[in-house]
Amino acid sequence: MKLIHIIIITLLSTSFLYAQDIANARLQSIGDTVTVSGIVTNGDELGAVRHFEDGTAGIAAYDLTNLTGILRGDSITVTGILYDYNG
């Protein structure tokens, strides 16, 4: 049981090691894959969209399956492809 906890903690901590701040992620090219962490600022009122922010900027994540159950105030790390939505 102790080994399982160590593996889970290691996996969780490594996801934060590879996350970049949102301001830098937003400077990447459209189509690039980025990993960012932040605090969710909206609930399910926007459907499959979650906005989240860190100390540098904010960004939106859109996913029909993986964002269910994510609530305002949750801390999340997301890896995805950058898209430009409506300019």
Side-chain angles (χ1 to χ4, degrees):
M1 187 69 162
K2 191 182 250 186
L3 179 59
I4 292 172
H5 288 218
I6 292 171
I7 291 171
I8 291 171
I9 291 170
T10 302
L11 289 175
L12 290 175
S13 64
T14 56
S15 66
F16 288 104
L17 292 175
Y18 295 109
Q20 61 188 130
D21 63 56
I22 294 173
N24 283 328
R26 292 174 59 119
L27 295 174
Q28 303 302 311
S29 298
I30 301 301
D32 283 353
T33 300
V34 297
T35 300
V36 292
S37 296
I39 305 297
V40 177
T41 59
N42 71 295
D44 62 358
E45 66 272 7
L46 297 176
V49 177
R50 294 296 182 274
H51 294 270
F52 59 103
E53 59 187 52
D54 62 10
T56 65
I59 198 166
Y62 176 80
D63 190 321
L64 290 174
T65 58
N66 293 324
L67 294 175
T68 55
I70 304 295
L71 304 173
R72 181 181 294 114
D74 287 350
S75 177
I76 62 173
T77 298
V78 176
T79 299
I81 299 170
L82 286 177
Y83 288 97
D84 184 15
Y85 177 76
N86 207 17

